[in-house]
Amino acid sequence: MRRIVGLFIFCIAMIACSEKPKSDIPTSNETPALNDSTNKIVVLLYEGFTMLDVIGPTQSLGLLENVEIITVAKEKGLITSDNGLKLNASHSLDEITSAYILVIPGGLEGTIKASKDTSITNWIKRIDKSTAYTTSVCTGAWILSSTGLMEGKNMATHWYGKEILESKGAIFSPDRYVFDGKYATSAGVSAGIDLGLALVGKISGKEYAEAVQLGLQYDPKPPYNSGTPETADTAITSMMREMYDYAIQNIR
Amino acid sequence: MRRIVGLFIFCIAMIACSEKPKSDIPTSNETPALNDSTNKIVVLLYEGFTMLDVIGPTQSLGLLENVEIITVAKEKGLITSDNGLKLNASHSLDEITSAYILVIPGGLEGTIKASKDTSITNWIKRIDKSTAYTTSVCTGAWILSSTGLMEGKNMATHWYGKEILESKGAIFSPDRYVFDGKYATSAGVSAGIDLGLALVGKISGKEYAEAVQLGLQYDPKPPYNSGTPETADTAITSMMREMYDYAIQNIR
């Protein structure tokens, strides 16, 4: 895989240096440049995390130049996601002290528990001092906002997560993803894919991100039109909301 | 997680039984019903598989009633995906002899190798005899078509994969996903999300799938418009194609 990433970077560099007219690449002056040495994309894992929250952004971010994706949990080893699939946490929290990008995925019961676990929230505060971007996907925003770092800052989260997010001092944004300084947060689950591509564009430019998008053939065509409460059947939305309420009632 | 899946199923059943006017649920007579006992969603893993090819469909399929996601590889243990993240294969090939749904993910070099590995293609042929659906995502179609099962059948695959697919006797479909009998295949990487939701709809009805879509907040908003060769910059498409050609030239 390292070989294909190297090829990818070489190809995009060739395109960027070609003589065709330049398009409006949104270079981002405030983004700290990628280092020549390895840049760590650090993903926090915990029991019950949502797998797509992790894979959505990292499938894109893993194609940045000189990056390594590192998975971290309270204890290293296999961590079970919300659909039963297990991802390996290569490091424990105390082994990782910095990150270029920190990714905090969401979930439900496990996410509430993680947001109350000071060993996790204190670790996030430490890592955040070193990051170019600190990010969350879906209800990962509950954990990130529990650190106190997001007081008065704009954040996106799952449509169900608005109230809990606001109770932690952040400002809920209904956008698909939102940047507030170096804090980049997305709406529910699948929104992490959009956030990942937007981050690639911020860091390495529009054409780089477009190449990544083409590689992922990200030309979505949902077979139904039920991705938000605004478009879904109201009975389905109500039931889902009640289900989530019930699931977390004793741990909230 | 099992608790939340149970709740989910209960909620959707309540919606289905409520007195509001029924919508046009596309029940699928040809789909074998889910069993009362566990129905296995079996995912084939191999070194270099693309992680989103697995997670895209399974994030939806894992919310079907009475299902368990089982990961299988030639040897059980940690299998490294194309971006370096490791997923655990809970079973070896010889331990799994049937599936309700078989999912075959794509990749690049590793996928070519897997398509030439008769221990894998023969296993797929054995499992296929028991499946309600045999599916592939992205270049997973190269592996599935290498079994001989897809001779003359319609298949989707990554935009780059057309020629190799046709060399194996299948008919390339440019659609986001395509069903040919029980064979359900998708275009590149992210298309597995659309395929997963379509399968949920086929198996458990439109309203069930809509609830799953709302849970995933699948209302995609790609920040760029470069998801297919038709919309991408032609220079980017050419470079990507050359890069893929180069990567597999010695193993094709």
Side-chain angles (χ1 to χ4, degrees):
Chain A
M1 180 55 192
R2 289 301 99 188
R3 190 163 72 91
I4 195 73
V5 171
L7 276 169
F8 179 82
I9 291 157
F10 173 75
C11 292
I12 303 305
M14 280 187 68
I15 292 171
C17 295
S18 68
E19 294 189 58
K20 70 181 183 57
K22 289 274 179 170
S23 61
D24 55 334
I25 301 174
T27 51
S28 180
N29 291 330
E30 77 273 18
T31 302
L34 288 160
N35 297 317
D36 289 339
S37 58
T38 303
N39 299 276
K40 294 196 288 281
I41 313 288
V42 174
V43 181
L44 174 69
L45 301 182
Y46 53 87
E47 293 293 321
F49 75 95
T50 297
M51 189 66 93
L52 189 53
D53 291 14
V54 170
I55 306 308
T58 56
Q59 195 71 53
S60 294
L61 295 173
L63 287 167
L64 288 169
E65 194 174 8
N66 293 328
V67 298
E68 180 184 13
I69 302 173
I70 292 176
T71 43
V72 184
K74 288 185 76 170
E75 293 178 22
K76 64 177 91 176
L78 293 177
I79 310 292
T80 306
S81 72
D82 64 351
N83 70 5
L85 287 175
K86 296 175 199 296
L87 203 59
N88 186 53
S90 58
H91 292 75
S92 60
L93 294 179
D94 55 359
E95 290 176 326
I96 298 295
T97 56
S98 67
Y100 180 70
I101 299 176
L102 173 63
V103 178
I104 304 171
L108 197 57
E109 299 103 314
T111 313
I112 298 276
K113 287 177 189 162
S115 72
K116 295 181 175 181
D117 186 331
T118 53
S119 70
I120 289 176
T121 53
N122 286 335
W123 175 82
I124 291 172
K125 280 193 278 191
R126 285 199 302 277
I127 298 293
D128 177 68
K129 290 176 183 161
S130 67
T131 61
Y133 289 103
T134 296
T135 77
S136 68
V137 176
C138 193
T139 55
W142 293 348
I143 303 175
L144 178 53
S145 59
S146 293
T147 61
L149 290 166
M150 303 306 294
E151 188 76 33
K153 288 195 162 61
N154 297 302
M155 296 184 82
T157 187
H158 192 278
W159 57 265
Y160 173 76
K162 177 176 188 288
E163 185 188 318
I164 294 176
L165 190 72
E166 289 173 340
S167 75
K168 295 170 188 287
I171 299 166
F172 172 78
S173 163
D175 292 340
R176 188 74 177 156
Y177 55 84
V178 61
F179 284 83
D180 192 331
K182 74 171 190 175
Y183 298 97
T185 55
S186 86
V189 195
S190 59
I193 301 172
D194 298 324
L195 176 64
L197 278 171
L199 277 165
V200 170
K202 285 249 186 198
I203 293 163
S204 296
K206 176 174 179 284
E207 285 171 343
Y208 202 101
E210 287 181 343
V212 171
Q213 184 181 2
L214 182 59
L216 304 186
Q217 202 163 348
Y218 186 44
D219 175 40
K221 293 193 168 39
Y224 303 100
N225 184 27
S226 180
T228 67
E230 289 72 33
T231 57
D233 184 302
T234 53
I236 290 177
T237 304
S238 297
M239 278 292 186
M240 294 289 282
R241 193 180 292 280
E242 284 171 31
M243 179 189 74
Y244 292 138
D245 283 344
Y246 182 80
I248 66 171
Q249 64 184 352
N250 294 321
I251 43 174
R252 186 169 165 176
Chain B
M1 181 57 193
R2 290 300 98 190
R3 191 163 71 91
I4 195 73
V5 171
L7 274 169
F8 180 83
I9 291 158
F10 174 75
C11 290
I12 303 304
M14 281 187 68
I15 291 171
C17 295
S18 68
E19 295 191 58
K20 70 181 183 58
K22 288 273 180 170
S23 60
D24 55 335
I25 301 174
T27 50
S28 180
N29 290 331
E30 77 273 20
T31 301
L34 288 160
N35 297 318
D36 290 339
S37 58
T38 303
N39 298 276
K40 294 196 289 283
I41 313 289
V42 174
V43 180
L44 174 69
L45 301 182
Y46 53 87
E47 292 294 322
F49 74 95
T50 297
M51 189 66 95
L52 188 53
D53 290 14
V54 169
I55 306 309
T58 56
Q59 196 71 54
S60 294
L61 296 173
L63 287 167
L64 288 169
E65 194 174 9
N66 295 327
V67 298
E68 180 186 11
I69 302 173
I70 292 176
T71 43
V72 184
K74 287 185 76 170
E75 292 179 21
K76 65 177 89 177
L78 293 178
I79 310 293
T80 306
S81 73
D82 63 350
N83 70 5
L85 287 174
K86 296 175 199 296
L87 203 60
N88 185 53
S90 59
H91 292 74
S92 59
L93 294 180
D94 55 359
E95 290 176 325
I96 298 295
T97 56
S98 67
Y100 180 69
I101 299 175
L102 173 63
V103 178
I104 304 170
L108 196 57
E109 298 102 315
T111 313
I112 298 276
K113 288 177 188 162
S115 72
K116 295 181 174 181
D117 186 333
T118 54
S119 70
I120 289 176
T121 52
N122 286 335
W123 175 82
I124 290 171
K125 282 193 277 192
R126 284 198 301 277
I127 298 294
D128 177 68
K129 291 177 182 160
S130 67
T131 60
Y133 289 103
T134 296
T135 77
S136 68
V137 176
C138 192
T139 54
W142 293 346
I143 303 175
L144 178 54
S145 59
S146 293
T147 61
L149 291 166
M150 304 306 292
E151 187 76 31
K153 288 196 162 60
N154 296 300
M155 296 184 82
T157 186
H158 191 279
W159 57 265
Y160 173 75
K162 177 177 186 291
E163 186 188 319
I164 294 177
L165 190 71
E166 289 173 338
S167 75
K168 294 169 188 287
I171 300 166
F172 172 78
S173 163
D175 293 340
R176 188 74 176 156
Y177 54 85
V178 62
F179 284 82
D180 192 329
K182 74 171 189 175
Y183 298 97
T185 55
S186 87
V189 194
S190 58
I193 301 172
D194 298 323
L195 176 64
L197 278 171
L199 277 165
V200 170
K202 285 250 187 196
I203 294 164
S204 294
K206 176 174 179 280
E207 286 172 342
Y208 202 101
E210 287 180 343
V212 171
Q213 184 181 3
L214 182 60
L216 303 186
Q217 201 162 350
Y218 187 44
D219 176 40
K221 291 191 169 41
Y224 303 100
N225 183 27
S226 180
T228 67
E230 288 71 35
T231 59
D233 183 303
T234 52
I236 290 177
T237 304
S238 296
M239 278 293 186
M240 295 288 282
R241 193 180 292 280
E242 284 171 31
M243 179 190 76
Y244 292 137
D245 283 343
Y246 182 80
I248 66 170
Q249 64 183 354
N250 294 322
I251 43 174
R252 187 169 169 180

